[in-house]
C-alpha cells in the first residue's frame, strides 16, 4: 500500500511537470502571436517606467516591505524581457529617487542591500546577454553607499560590450538635479571660454543631460497621476499612461495595452514633436551655425573624455 502511494505521487509529479511545460509553451506561443500583431504598428523605441506601488503591494498581501521590493525587481526583469521581445530598444526605470533618502533608515538600508544583491543576479542571469542589453546608471551615484556604487560599476562593466538594447537605471535621481547639472556644465563651458553665449541652445542643454534619449512612452503604476520629478525635460512630448495596478502585478497584458494606446496616439505625438522642432530653428547664418556646431562638438567631446 505504501509503495503504491509513492508510485502514485511520482506519477502525479510527472504529470504536473508535463502540464506545466505545456502551459508555458502555450503562454509563450500566445505572447509571440500578440507581439507579432503589435509589430504591425509603430513600436515605441524608448519606454520609461515609474515603478510605483511595491510597498502598498506588500501591505495588501500582508508581506514585509522588502518582499514587496523583491517582487518589484522580478517585475522589472520580466518587463525588460517583454520590451526587448516587442522590439523596444531602450528601457528606463525610476529605481530610487534622491528624495527617497528621506524614508526610514531601515527601509533605505534594506533597499541598498537588495540593490547590491540584485546587481549580482542581473549579471548572472541570461537576459543581458540574450538581448544584448547594456546597462547605464543615471543619477547622483555619489549619494549611494560604496558597495552600491561598486555593484553598479560591475554591472556597467559586465554589459559594456552589448549594443542591441539599453537599460537606464535611474538611481539617486531627480530631474531637477539632472537639469541643474546640465546648466552647470554649460556655465563651466562659458567660463572656460570653450563656449560662447550664442552656443547655449535647447539642443546643447539636452546633450549635457545624463539621459539624452527622449522616451516615446512613459508608464506609471499604482494609480498616482504625477511624474514625481522623473524625466521632466525628456518627457515633454511623451505618451503618458497611468495605471492603477501595483508595480509587482504589472504584466505582459499591461504592456500590450500601453503599446496599443501609444499606437493610437502615434500620429498626434509625431505631429507635435515635428511642430516643436520647426519652432526651435535658429535665425543665425549658416557660417555662424557651423562655427557654433564645431565649438559645441569639441566641448561635448572634452566632457565625455573627462
Amino acid at each position: 500500500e505504501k509503495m503504491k502511494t509513492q508510485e502514485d505521487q511520482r506519477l502525479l509529479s510527472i504529470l504536473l511537470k508535463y502540464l506545466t511545460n505545456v502551459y508555458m509553451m502555450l503562454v509563450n506561443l500566445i505572447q509571440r502571436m500578440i507581439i507579432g500583431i503589435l509589430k504591425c504598428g509603430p513600436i515605441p523605441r524608448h519606454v520609461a517606467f515609474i515603478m510605483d506601488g511595491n510597498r502598498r503591494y506588500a501591505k495588501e498581501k500582508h508581506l514585509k516591505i522588502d518582499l514587496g521590493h523583491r517582487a518589484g525587481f522580478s517585475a522589472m526583469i520580466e518587463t525588460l524581457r517583454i520590451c526587448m521581445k516587442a522590439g523596444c530598444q531602450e528601457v528606463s526605470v525610476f529605481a530610487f529617487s534622491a528624495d527617497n533618502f528621506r524614508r526610514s533608515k531601515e527601509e533605505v538600508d534594506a533597499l541598498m542591500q537588495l540593490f547590491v544583491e540584485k546587481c549580482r543576479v542581473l549579471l548572472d542571469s541570461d537576459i543581458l546577454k540574450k538581448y544584448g542589453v547594456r546597462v547605464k546608471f543615471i543619477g547622483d551615484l555619489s549619494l549611494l553607499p560604496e558597495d552600491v556604487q561598486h555593484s553598479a560599476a560591475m554591472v556597467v562593466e559586465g554589459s559594456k560590450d552589448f549594443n542591441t538594447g539599453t537599460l537606464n537605471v535611474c538611481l539617486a535621481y531627480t530631474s531637477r538635479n539632472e537639469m541643474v547639472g546640465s546648466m552647470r556644465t554649460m556655465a563651466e563651458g562659458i567660463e572656460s571660454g570653450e563656449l560662447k553665449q550664442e552656443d547655449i541652445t535647447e539642443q546643447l542643454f539636452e546633450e549635457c543631460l545624463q539621459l539624452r534619449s527622449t522616451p516615446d512612452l512613459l508608464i506609471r503604476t499604482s494609480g498616482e497621476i504625477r511624474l514625481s520629478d522623473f524625466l521632466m525635460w525628456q518627457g515633454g512630448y511623451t505618451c503618458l499612461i497611468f495605471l492603477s495596478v501595483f508595480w509587482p502585478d504589472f504584466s505582459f497584458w499591461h504592456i500590450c495595452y500601453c503599446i496599443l494606446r501609444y499606437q493610437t496616439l502615434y500620429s498626434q505625438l509625431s505631429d507635435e514633436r515635428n511642430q516643436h522642432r520647426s519652432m526651435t530653428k535658429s535665425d543665425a547664418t549658416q557660417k555662424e551655425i557651423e562655427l557654433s556646431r564645431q565649438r559645441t562638438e569639441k566641448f561635448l567631446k572634452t566632457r565625455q573624455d573627462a
Side-chain angles (χ1 to χ4, degrees):
E1 182 71 27
K2 184 176 180 181
M3 290 182 62
K4 184 179 179 182
T5 301
Q6 290 177 341
E7 180 64 16
D8 289 344
Q9 290 177 345
R10 188 182 70 84
L11 291 174
L12 180 61
S13 176
I14 294 172
L15 178 61
L16 288 174
K17 186 176 181 180
Y18 173 75
L19 291 175
T20 300
N21 289 335
V22 170
Y23 171 75
M24 291 307 300
M25 288 175 61
L26 287 173
V27 169
N28 289 331
L29 177 61
I30 292 171
Q31 287 188 1
R32 285 199 300 270
M33 290 173 60
I34 293 174
I35 287 173
I37 294 171
L38 288 175
K39 285 184 174 181
C40 294
I43 295 294
R45 192 194 67 81
H46 180 181
V47 185
F49 296 93
I50 300 177
M51 306 182 295
D52 194 17
N54 292 342
R55 293 192 295 175
R56 279 172 283 171
Y57 168 87
K59 290 176 181 177
E60 187 179 80
K61 303 289 184 181
H62 305 290
L63 302 171
K64 292 182 179 180
I65 298 298
D66 70 304
L67 293 179
H69 291 305
R70 289 178 182 276
F73 175 82
S74 299
M76 186 198 79
I77 295 299
E78 183 60 22
T79 297
L80 175 62
R81 191 187 306 276
I82 295 169
C83 286
M84 292 297 112
K85 281 183 178 181
C88 304
Q89 298 174 25
E90 190 168 1
V91 172
S92 296
V93 295
F94 201 2
F96 188 82
S97 169
D99 295 335
N100 289 153
F101 283 110
R102 300 171 186 168
R103 293 182 180 179
S104 69
K105 185 179 185 302
E106 181 183 2
E107 183 177 358
V108 171
D109 288 346
L111 281 169
M112 295 298 110
Q113 182 181 352
L114 176 64
F115 180 78
V116 171
E117 175 190 329
K118 294 306 181 182
C119 276
R120 298 193 188 98
V121 172
L122 189 60
L123 275 176
D124 293 339
S125 69
D126 68 327
I127 188 167
L128 300 183
K129 184 176 181 180
K130 182 176 180 179
Y131 296 102
V133 178
R134 177 179 55 177
V135 181
K136 296 180 179 179
F137 288 90
I138 309 296
D140 188 355
L141 302 189
S142 66
L143 298 174
L144 301 168
E146 287 188 9
D147 58 341
V148 176
Q149 295 183 41
H150 177 69
S151 297
M154 282 198 311
V155 174
V156 171
E157 180 66 23
S159 64
K160 67 179 182 180
D161 295 327
F162 301 143
N163 55 18
T164 303
T166 302
L167 172 63
N168 301 308
V169 181
C170 296
L171 201 63
Y173 170 92
T174 66
S175 190
R176 285 173 294 177
N177 288 347
E178 183 185 28
M179 288 189 279
V180 168
S182 177
M183 290 186 284
R184 184 178 291 120
T185 299
M186 292 189 294
E188 290 171 356
I190 293 288
E191 188 176 356
S192 66
E194 297 172 88
L195 295 174
K196 293 186 177 181
Q197 186 173 344
E198 56 267 27
D199 297 330
I200 306 302
T201 62
E202 182 178 314
Q203 182 179 359
L204 178 60
F205 179 84
E206 291 176 351
E207 289 292 333
C208 291
L209 293 170
Q210 285 184 282
L211 183 57
R212 303 174 187 90
S213 174
T214 299
D216 302 294
L217 173 62
L218 190 154
I219 301 165
R220 176 169 188 155
T221 56
S222 87
E224 299 290 340
I225 306 177
R226 51 195 170 89
L227 295 180
S228 296
D229 212 355
F230 180 56
L231 303 183
M232 299 290 285
W233 178 273
Q234 297 90 333
Y237 293 92
T238 295
C239 177
L240 305 177
I241 298 179
F242 301 94
L243 301 175
S244 59
V245 63
F246 295 142
W247 175 251
D249 286 327
F250 188 75
S251 69
F252 171 80
W253 304 107
H254 294 107
I255 295 177
C256 292
Y257 166 76
C258 292
I259 291 177
L260 282 171
R261 283 278 304 277
Y262 166 78
Q263 289 176 343
T264 61
L265 296 169
Y266 177 77
S267 298
Q268 178 185 342
L269 291 167
S270 297
D271 290 343
E272 290 177 357
R273 285 198 193 101
N274 292 334
Q275 184 179 3
H276 175 72
R277 290 192 190 103
S278 66
M279 292 173 62
T280 56
K281 289 183 179 179
S282 173
D283 294 327
T285 65
Q286 193 62 39
K287 183 178 180 180
E288 290 171 335
I289 292 173
E290 179 61 23
L291 289 172
S292 178
R293 184 188 65 79
Q294 291 175 5
R295 285 193 299 270
T296 54
E297 285 184 355
K298 183 179 179 180
F299 170 73
L300 291 170
K301 187 177 186 305
T302 301
R303 288 298 186 273
Q304 289 170 0
D305 293 342

